[in-house]
Amino acid sequence: MNHSGNTFYGLPKRLAWGYLGILIFMMGDGVEQGWLSPYLVGRGLSIQASAALFTVYGVTIAIASWFSGVLTDSYGPRKTMLAGILLYIAGTAGFVGPGLGSLNFPVMLATYALRGFGYPLFAYSFLVWIIYRSPGRGQSAAVGWFWFVFTGGLNVFGAYYSTWAIRRFGYTGTLWTSIFWVALGAFCALALNRDKLDGRAHALDGRKQVAKGLTVIRRHPKILLCGVIRVINTTSQFAFLVFMPVYMASHGIGTRQWLYMWGTIFTSNIAFNLLFGFVGDRFGLKRTVLWFGCVGCAVSTLLFYYAPVWFGGDFWAVMLTGCLWGALLAGFVPLSALTPSLVESDKGAAMAVLNLGAGLAVFAGPAIVGLFIGPLGSEGVIWILSGLYIVAAVLTALLPTGAADRTAALRNKRFDVKTSTT
C-alpha cells in the first residue's frame, strides 16, 4: 500500500501537516454537532425553528462549498483557507455572543449563516489541493485520508470533546472554545504545512474560474449526477442532527449517551473511510459507491431508526446498528476520486460541483426535517432518507467508468495474468 517514499499508506507526506490541521479545525467546528438542536429546543425554540437555523446554515455552506474549488484554482488554497478561518471566527463570535446569549433568533440566523462560510472554504479547498497533489493511482486512498481526518474531527473528536467540555465550561463556553481549536488547526495547515501548489493550477483569473465552475456541468453533464449523489450521501447525517437526539431521548437515550453514540458511530465511519479508499482503488470506484454506499445506506438508515423500537431502547444494540450505518456511509468516499477522473481538465471546477453537493447536504437534511416531520412524523422522514439512497444508486449506475477505474481495471487484469502464470 505504501507505493512510494512520497506517501504513507496512501497519505501524501508533503501534506501531512495539512491533514492534521483539518482534523483539529473540524473538531472545533464539530463541538455542537450532537447537542445544539436539543439545547435550543430545551431553551424554548421549536424543532421547526431549529431546523430553519440549520437550513440557513446549510445554504451558506453550500455557497462556500461551490466556491471553494474555483477560488482555490484562482487564488490558491492558502488564501482561500485563510478566508475560511476568518469568516468562521467572526460568525462564531456573533452567534455565541449577541445571538445565543439573549436567544435573539434573527441575529442567530445571520451569524450562524456567516459561520457556515468557514469550514467549506477551509477544508474543501484543502481537498482540491489533495486532488492536484495525488493524480492517478492512489488518489482514492489520499481522498480517503482526507475524509478520515475531516469526519474524525467533525463527528468523533468533536462529539467526545463536547461530552467533556460541557461539564466544565457549559454549553456556551464549549462553543467559545471552538475558536481556539480552529485557530490551532489553521496554524498547522497554513503555517507548519510548507507545501506550495504549482502556480499553473491558478493561471486563470477569478472571474474566468467561476465561469468554468458554472459551465462545467453543461460541458460534462455526468458531473451533475456526481453532485446530486454527493448531496444524498450525507443528507441523512445532517437530518439526524436535527431530530434524532429528540427521537432517541423518547426511547430513553439521553443527550450524553447520544453524544457518545454519535462519536462511536463516526469512529466506525472514519475507519471505513480509509478502508473504502483502498477498496475503491481495487474493487472499482463506481461499484464501491453503488453497492456499499447507496444500497448499503438505504438499508442501514432504516435499521438505525427502528433499532430503539426493536430492541427496547437498548443502548448497545442501537449503537451497533448506528455503527453499521456509519461504516456504509464511507462507501461514498471513492466518489471524490471518481468525479475528477471523468474530466481531462477542469478538475477544480469538477470538485467545485462535488463540494457544492457536500454543502447542499447540510441544507437538504434539516430542510427535509422541517418540511416533513410535521405531516409525516419522524418515521416518514426516515423513509424519505432511505428512498433517496435508492435514487442515488440509480444515478450511480448511469455514471460512466472514469479514468481512475479504467486504470485500476487494467492494473488488476495485469496482476491476474501474472499470478495465473506463476
Side-chain angles (χ1 to χ4, degrees):
M1 292 182 184
N2 190 4
H3 300 303
S4 73
N6 295 324
T7 64
F8 176 77
Y9 292 97
L11 188 151
K13 290 182 180 179
R14 66 172 72 183
L15 295 177
W17 280 111
Y19 279 93
L20 178 63
I22 294 296
L23 175 70
I24 298 172
F25 182 99
M26 294 311 301
M27 187 192 87
D29 182 75
V31 296
E32 86 281 9
Q33 283 283 305
W35 56 263
L36 184 59
S37 180
Y39 170 71
L40 294 174
V41 171
R43 288 191 59 181
L45 261 65
S46 67
I47 194 167
Q48 286 84 358
S50 176
L53 181 71
F54 282 93
T55 300
V56 172
Y57 177 64
V59 169
T60 56
I61 285 179
I63 294 171
S65 298
W66 169 264
F67 280 101
S68 62
V70 292
L71 291 178
T72 298
D73 272 356
S74 302
Y75 305 109
R78 291 182 180 276
K79 291 181 180 179
T80 309
M81 292 169 73
L82 180 61
I85 182 67
L86 295 176
L87 289 169
Y88 180 91
I89 292 174
T92 299
F95 177 74
V96 183
L100 196 59
S102 58
L103 212 65
N104 186 321
F105 191 64
V107 173
M108 290 167 61
L109 279 176
T111 54
Y112 204 54
L114 180 64
R115 185 177 183 269
F117 284 107
Y119 91 69
L121 292 179
F122 188 85
Y124 295 151
S125 297
F126 185 72
L127 177 58
V128 177
W129 197 342
I130 293 169
I131 294 296
Y132 278 115
R133 274 293 179 229
S134 53
R137 183 182 178 186
Q139 190 174 85
S140 181
V143 169
W145 275 107
F146 170 82
W147 291 114
F148 177 88
V149 296
F150 179 95
T151 307
L154 182 65
N155 294 306
V156 179
F157 287 107
Y160 288 149
Y161 169 73
S162 290
T163 61
W164 174 85
I166 287 171
R167 295 197 301 270
R168 287 156 178 79
F169 308 123
Y171 289 100
T172 56
T174 298
L175 287 172
W176 280 118
T177 65
S178 69
I179 293 178
F180 167 77
W181 294 112
V182 299
L184 179 61
F187 177 76
C188 292
L190 299 179
L192 298 181
N193 173 26
R194 299 303 179 90
D195 183 63
K196 293 183 179 180
L197 193 59
D198 189 346
R200 288 176 297 177
H202 320 303
L204 298 179
D205 63 43
R207 286 175 296 181
K208 289 182 179 179
Q209 285 288 20
V210 171
K212 284 180 67 179
L214 294 173
T215 59
V216 69
I217 294 174
R218 178 176 57 81
R219 288 180 282 109
H220 306 285
K222 295 304 173 81
I223 296 298
L224 176 61
L225 296 184
C226 294
V228 175
I229 294 164
R230 183 62 185 87
V231 175
I232 296 171
N233 173 193
T234 48
T235 289
S236 62
Q237 174 185 335
F238 293 102
F240 285 172
L241 291 173
V242 179
F243 79 96
M244 271 296 211
V246 178
Y247 170 74
M248 291 293 178
S250 70
H251 290 278
I253 299 174
T255 298
R256 286 186 60 188
Q257 287 181 302
W258 165 254
L259 286 174
Y260 182 80
M261 181 185 295
W262 192 250
T264 305
I265 286 170
F266 279 93
T267 299
S268 167
N269 176 259
I270 63 173
F272 279 86
N273 278 341
L274 285 180
L275 176 63
F276 281 121
F278 292 111
V279 168
D281 281 334
R282 178 69 183 176
F283 181 64
L285 306 179
K286 177 179 170 179
R287 287 196 293 171
T288 301
V289 173
L290 174 60
W291 292 109
F292 291 101
C294 301
V295 176
C297 284
V299 176
S300 60
T301 297
L302 296 174
L303 292 177
F304 186 33
Y305 178 82
Y306 286 110
V309 179
W310 294 341
F311 300 107
D314 182 83
F315 175 79
W316 296 105
V318 175
M319 186 162 69
L320 182 62
T321 60
C323 287
L324 176 64
W325 169 77
L328 292 169
L329 200 66
F332 286 91
V333 160
L335 186 66
S336 295
L338 175 62
T339 301
S341 76
L342 298 179
V343 296
E344 293 184 4
S345 58
D346 301 337
K347 294 186 183 294
M351 288 302 297
V353 176
L354 202 65
N355 291 344
L356 174 63
L360 283 173
V362 186
F363 158 79
I368 288 172
V369 176
L371 288 172
F372 296 106
I373 200 165
L376 300 180
S378 59
E379 188 173 28
V381 170
I382 209 72
W383 278 96
I384 290 172
L385 296 174
S386 178
L388 286 174
Y389 283 117
I390 299 301
V391 173
V394 174
L395 297 180
T396 303
L398 296 175
L399 291 176
T401 301
D405 267 345
R406 292 192 295 270
T407 301
L410 180 60
R411 184 172 68 249
N412 293 340
K413 182 177 179 181
R414 289 172 177 171
F415 175 79
D416 293 338
V417 169
K418 181 180 179 180
T419 56
S420 66
T421 56
T422 56

CSV table of all heavy atoms in Angstrom, one decimal, residues 240 244 247-248 296-311 317-322 324-325 328 382-383 386:
chain,number,residue,atom,x,y,z
A,240,PHE,N,-30.3,13.8,10.7
A,240,PHE,CA,-30.3,13.1,12.0
A,240,PHE,C,-29.9,14.1,13.2
A,240,PHE,O,-30.5,14.0,14.3
A,240,PHE,CB,-29.2,12.0,12.0
A,240,PHE,CG,-29.6,10.7,11.3
A,240,PHE,CD1,-28.7,9.7,11.1
A,240,PHE,CD2,-30.9,10.6,10.8
A,240,PHE,CE1,-29.1,8.6,10.4
A,240,PHE,CE2,-31.3,9.4,10.2
A,240,PHE,CZ,-30.4,8.4,9.9
A,244,MET,N,-32.9,13.3,15.5
A,244,MET,CA,-32.6,12.0,16.1
A,244,MET,C,-32.3,12.1,17.6
A,244,MET,O,-32.7,11.2,18.4
A,244,MET,CB,-31.4,11.4,15.4
A,244,MET,CG,-31.8,10.4,14.3
A,244,MET,SD,-32.7,9.0,14.8
A,244,MET,CE,-32.2,7.8,13.6
A,247,TYR,N,-35.6,12.1,19.1
A,247,TYR,CA,-36.2,10.7,18.9
A,247,TYR,C,-35.6,9.7,19.9
A,247,TYR,O,-36.3,8.9,20.5
A,247,TYR,CB,-36.0,10.3,17.5
A,247,TYR,CG,-36.4,8.9,17.2
A,247,TYR,CD1,-37.7,8.5,17.1
A,247,TYR,CD2,-35.4,7.9,17.0
A,247,TYR,CE1,-38.1,7.1,16.9
A,247,TYR,CE2,-35.7,6.6,16.7
A,247,TYR,CZ,-37.0,6.2,16.7
A,247,TYR,OH,-37.4,4.9,16.4
A,248,MET,N,-34.3,9.8,20.0
A,248,MET,CA,-33.6,8.8,20.9
A,248,MET,C,-34.0,9.1,22.3
A,248,MET,O,-34.1,8.1,23.1
A,248,MET,CB,-32.1,8.9,20.7
A,248,MET,CG,-31.6,8.4,19.4
A,248,MET,SD,-31.8,6.6,19.2
A,248,MET,CE,-31.1,6.3,17.5
A,296,GLY,N,-26.1,0.0,0.6
A,296,GLY,CA,-25.9,-0.2,2.0
A,296,GLY,C,-26.5,0.8,2.9
A,296,GLY,O,-27.1,0.5,3.9
A,297,CYS,N,-26.5,2.1,2.5
A,297,CYS,CA,-27.1,3.1,3.4
A,297,CYS,C,-28.6,3.1,3.3
A,297,CYS,O,-29.3,3.5,4.3
A,297,CYS,CB,-26.6,4.5,3.0
A,297,CYS,SG,-24.9,4.8,3.6
A,298,ALA,N,-29.2,2.7,2.2
A,298,ALA,CA,-30.6,2.6,2.1
A,298,ALA,C,-31.2,1.6,3.1
A,298,ALA,O,-32.2,1.9,3.8
A,298,ALA,CB,-31.0,2.2,0.7
A,299,VAL,N,-30.4,0.6,3.4
A,299,VAL,CA,-30.9,-0.5,4.3
A,299,VAL,C,-30.5,0.0,5.8
A,299,VAL,O,-31.3,-0.1,6.7
A,299,VAL,CB,-30.2,-1.8,4.0
A,299,VAL,CG1,-30.6,-2.9,5.1
A,299,VAL,CG2,-30.7,-2.3,2.6
A,300,SER,N,-29.3,0.4,6.0
A,300,SER,CA,-28.8,0.7,7.3
A,300,SER,C,-29.5,1.9,7.9
A,300,SER,O,-29.6,2.0,9.2
A,300,SER,CB,-27.3,0.8,7.3
A,300,SER,OG,-26.9,1.9,6.5
A,301,THR,N,-29.9,2.9,7.1
A,301,THR,CA,-30.6,4.0,7.6
A,301,THR,C,-31.9,3.6,8.3
A,301,THR,O,-32.2,4.0,9.4
A,301,THR,CB,-31.0,5.0,6.5
A,301,THR,OG1,-29.8,5.5,5.9
A,301,THR,CG2,-31.8,6.2,7.0
A,302,LEU,N,-32.6,2.6,7.7
A,302,LEU,CA,-33.9,2.1,8.3
A,302,LEU,C,-33.6,1.3,9.6
A,302,LEU,O,-34.3,1.4,10.6
A,302,LEU,CB,-34.6,1.3,7.3
A,302,LEU,CG,-35.2,2.0,6.1
A,302,LEU,CD1,-35.8,1.0,5.1
A,302,LEU,CD2,-36.2,3.0,6.5
A,303,LEU,N,-32.5,0.5,9.5
A,303,LEU,CA,-32.1,-0.3,10.7
A,303,LEU,C,-31.8,0.6,11.9
A,303,LEU,O,-32.2,0.3,13.0
A,303,LEU,CB,-30.9,-1.2,10.4
A,303,LEU,CG,-31.1,-2.3,9.3
A,303,LEU,CD1,-29.8,-3.0,9.1
A,303,LEU,CD2,-32.2,-3.3,9.8
A,304,PHE,N,-31.1,1.6,11.7
A,304,PHE,CA,-30.7,2.6,12.8
A,304,PHE,C,-31.9,3.2,13.4
A,304,PHE,O,-32.0,3.3,14.6
A,304,PHE,CB,-29.8,3.6,12.2
A,304,PHE,CG,-29.2,4.5,13.2
A,304,PHE,CD1,-28.9,4.1,14.5
A,304,PHE,CD2,-28.9,5.9,12.9
A,304,PHE,CE1,-28.4,5.0,15.5
A,304,PHE,CE2,-28.4,6.7,13.9
A,304,PHE,CZ,-28.1,6.3,15.1
A,305,TYR,N,-32.9,3.6,12.6
A,305,TYR,CA,-34.1,4.2,13.1
A,305,TYR,C,-35.0,3.2,13.9
A,305,TYR,O,-35.5,3.6,15.0
A,305,TYR,CB,-34.9,4.8,12.0
A,305,TYR,CG,-36.2,5.5,12.5
A,305,TYR,CD1,-36.2,6.8,13.0
A,305,TYR,CD2,-37.4,4.8,12.4
A,305,TYR,CE1,-37.4,7.4,13.4
A,305,TYR,CE2,-38.6,5.4,12.8
A,305,TYR,CZ,-38.6,6.7,13.3
A,305,TYR,OH,-39.7,7.2,13.8
A,306,TYR,N,-35.1,2.1,13.4
A,306,TYR,CA,-36.0,1.1,14.1
A,306,TYR,C,-35.4,0.3,15.2
A,306,TYR,O,-36.1,-0.3,16.0
A,306,TYR,CB,-36.6,0.1,13.0
A,306,TYR,CG,-37.7,0.8,12.2
A,306,TYR,CD1,-37.4,1.0,10.8
A,306,TYR,CD2,-38.9,1.1,12.7
A,306,TYR,CE1,-38.4,1.6,10.0
A,306,TYR,CE2,-39.9,1.7,11.9
A,306,TYR,CZ,-39.6,2.0,10.5
A,306,TYR,OH,-40.6,2.6,9.7
A,307,ALA,N,-34.1,0.4,15.4
A,307,ALA,CA,-33.4,-0.3,16.4
A,307,ALA,C,-33.9,0.0,17.8
A,307,ALA,O,-34.1,-0.9,18.6
A,307,ALA,CB,-31.9,-0.1,16.3
A,308,PRO,N,-34.1,1.3,18.2
A,308,PRO,CA,-34.7,1.6,19.5
A,308,PRO,C,-36.0,0.9,19.8
A,308,PRO,O,-36.3,0.6,20.9
A,308,PRO,CB,-34.8,3.1,19.5
A,308,PRO,CG,-33.9,3.6,18.5
A,308,PRO,CD,-33.9,2.5,17.4
A,309,VAL,N,-36.8,0.7,18.7
A,309,VAL,CA,-38.1,0.1,18.9
A,309,VAL,C,-38.0,-1.4,19.0
A,309,VAL,O,-38.5,-2.1,19.9
A,309,VAL,CB,-39.1,0.4,17.7
A,309,VAL,CG1,-40.4,-0.3,17.8
A,309,VAL,CG2,-39.3,1.9,17.6
A,310,TRP,N,-37.2,-2.0,18.1
A,310,TRP,CA,-37.0,-3.4,18.1
A,310,TRP,C,-36.3,-4.0,19.4
A,310,TRP,O,-36.6,-5.1,19.8
A,310,TRP,CB,-36.2,-3.9,16.9
A,310,TRP,CG,-36.9,-3.6,15.6
A,310,TRP,CD1,-38.3,-3.4,15.4
A,310,TRP,CD2,-36.3,-3.5,14.3
A,310,TRP,NE1,-38.6,-3.2,14.1
A,310,TRP,CE2,-37.4,-3.3,13.3
A,310,TRP,CE3,-35.0,-3.6,13.8
A,310,TRP,CZ2,-37.2,-3.1,12.0
A,310,TRP,CZ3,-34.8,-3.5,12.4
A,310,TRP,CH2,-35.9,-3.2,11.5
A,311,PHE,N,-35.3,-3.2,19.9
A,311,PHE,CA,-34.5,-3.6,21.0
A,311,PHE,C,-34.8,-2.9,22.3
A,311,PHE,O,-34.0,-2.9,23.3
A,311,PHE,CB,-33.0,-3.5,20.7
A,311,PHE,CG,-32.6,-4.2,19.5
A,311,PHE,CD1,-32.3,-3.6,18.3
A,311,PHE,CD2,-32.5,-5.6,19.5
A,311,PHE,CE1,-31.9,-4.3,17.1
A,311,PHE,CE2,-32.1,-6.3,18.4
A,311,PHE,CZ,-31.8,-5.7,17.2
A,317,ALA,N,-27.3,-2.1,21.4
A,317,ALA,CA,-27.9,-2.7,20.2
A,317,ALA,C,-28.1,-1.5,19.2
A,317,ALA,O,-27.9,-1.6,18.0
A,317,ALA,CB,-29.2,-3.4,20.5
A,318,VAL,N,-28.6,-0.4,19.7
A,318,VAL,CA,-28.9,0.8,18.8
A,318,VAL,C,-27.5,1.3,18.3
A,318,VAL,O,-27.4,1.6,17.1
A,318,VAL,CB,-29.6,1.9,19.6
A,318,VAL,CG1,-29.7,3.1,18.7
A,318,VAL,CG2,-31.0,1.4,20.1
A,319,MET,N,-26.5,1.3,19.1
A,319,MET,CA,-25.2,1.8,18.7
A,319,MET,C,-24.6,0.9,17.6
A,319,MET,O,-23.9,1.4,16.7
A,319,MET,CB,-24.2,2.0,19.8
A,319,MET,CG,-22.9,2.7,19.4
A,319,MET,SD,-22.0,3.4,20.8
A,319,MET,CE,-21.5,1.9,21.6
A,320,LEU,N,-24.8,-0.4,17.7
A,320,LEU,CA,-24.3,-1.3,16.7
A,320,LEU,C,-24.9,-1.0,15.4
A,320,LEU,O,-24.2,-1.0,14.4
A,320,LEU,CB,-24.6,-2.7,17.2
A,320,LEU,CG,-24.0,-3.8,16.3
A,320,LEU,CD1,-22.5,-3.8,16.2
A,320,LEU,CD2,-24.5,-5.2,16.7
A,321,THR,N,-26.2,-0.8,15.3
A,321,THR,CA,-26.8,-0.5,14.0
A,321,THR,C,-26.4,0.8,13.5
A,321,THR,O,-26.2,1.0,12.3
A,321,THR,CB,-28.4,-0.5,14.1
A,321,THR,OG1,-28.8,0.4,15.1
A,321,THR,CG2,-28.9,-1.9,14.5
A,322,GLY,N,-26.1,1.8,14.4
A,322,GLY,CA,-25.6,3.1,14.0
A,322,GLY,C,-24.2,3.0,13.4
A,322,GLY,O,-23.9,3.6,12.5
A,324,LEU,N,-23.0,0.4,11.9
A,324,LEU,CA,-23.2,-0.2,10.6
A,324,LEU,C,-23.5,0.9,9.5
A,324,LEU,O,-22.9,1.0,8.5
A,324,LEU,CB,-24.3,-1.2,10.6
A,324,LEU,CG,-24.6,-1.9,9.2
A,324,LEU,CD1,-23.4,-2.6,8.6
A,324,LEU,CD2,-25.8,-2.8,9.3
A,325,TRP,N,-24.5,1.8,9.9
A,325,TRP,CA,-24.8,2.9,9.0
A,325,TRP,C,-23.6,3.8,8.8
A,325,TRP,O,-23.3,4.2,7.6
A,325,TRP,CB,-25.9,3.7,9.7
A,325,TRP,CG,-26.2,5.1,9.0
A,325,TRP,CD1,-26.8,5.3,7.8
A,325,TRP,CD2,-25.7,6.4,9.5
A,325,TRP,NE1,-26.8,6.6,7.5
A,325,TRP,CE2,-26.2,7.3,8.5
A,325,TRP,CE3,-25.1,6.8,10.6
A,325,TRP,CZ2,-25.9,8.7,8.6
A,325,TRP,CZ3,-24.8,8.1,10.7
A,325,TRP,CH2,-25.2,9.1,9.8
A,328,LEU,N,-21.1,2.1,6.3
A,328,LEU,CA,-21.5,2.1,4.9
A,328,LEU,C,-21.6,3.5,4.3
A,328,LEU,O,-21.5,3.7,3.1
A,328,LEU,CB,-22.9,1.4,4.8
A,328,LEU,CG,-22.8,-0.1,5.2
A,328,LEU,CD1,-24.2,-0.7,5.3
A,328,LEU,CD2,-22.0,-0.8,4.1
A,382,ILE,N,-37.6,9.3,7.9
A,382,ILE,CA,-36.6,8.2,7.7
A,382,ILE,C,-36.8,7.5,6.4
A,382,ILE,O,-35.9,7.1,5.8
A,382,ILE,CB,-36.6,7.3,9.0
A,382,ILE,CG1,-35.1,6.7,9.1
A,382,ILE,CG2,-37.5,6.1,8.8
A,382,ILE,CD1,-34.2,7.7,9.6
A,383,TRP,N,-38.1,7.2,6.0
A,383,TRP,CA,-38.3,6.5,4.8
A,383,TRP,C,-37.9,7.4,3.6
A,383,TRP,O,-37.5,6.9,2.5
A,383,TRP,CB,-39.8,6.1,4.7
A,383,TRP,CG,-40.0,4.8,5.4
A,383,TRP,CD1,-40.4,4.6,6.7
A,383,TRP,CD2,-39.7,3.5,4.9
A,383,TRP,NE1,-40.5,3.3,7.1
A,383,TRP,CE2,-40.1,2.6,6.0
A,383,TRP,CE3,-39.3,3.0,3.7
A,383,TRP,CZ2,-39.9,1.2,5.9
A,383,TRP,CZ3,-39.1,1.6,3.6
A,383,TRP,CH2,-39.5,0.7,4.7
A,386,SER,N,-34.1,7.1,3.3
A,386,SER,CA,-33.8,5.8,2.8
A,386,SER,C,-34.1,5.7,1.3
A,386,SER,O,-33.2,5.2,0.5
A,386,SER,CB,-34.5,4.6,3.5
A,386,SER,OG,-34.2,3.4,2.9
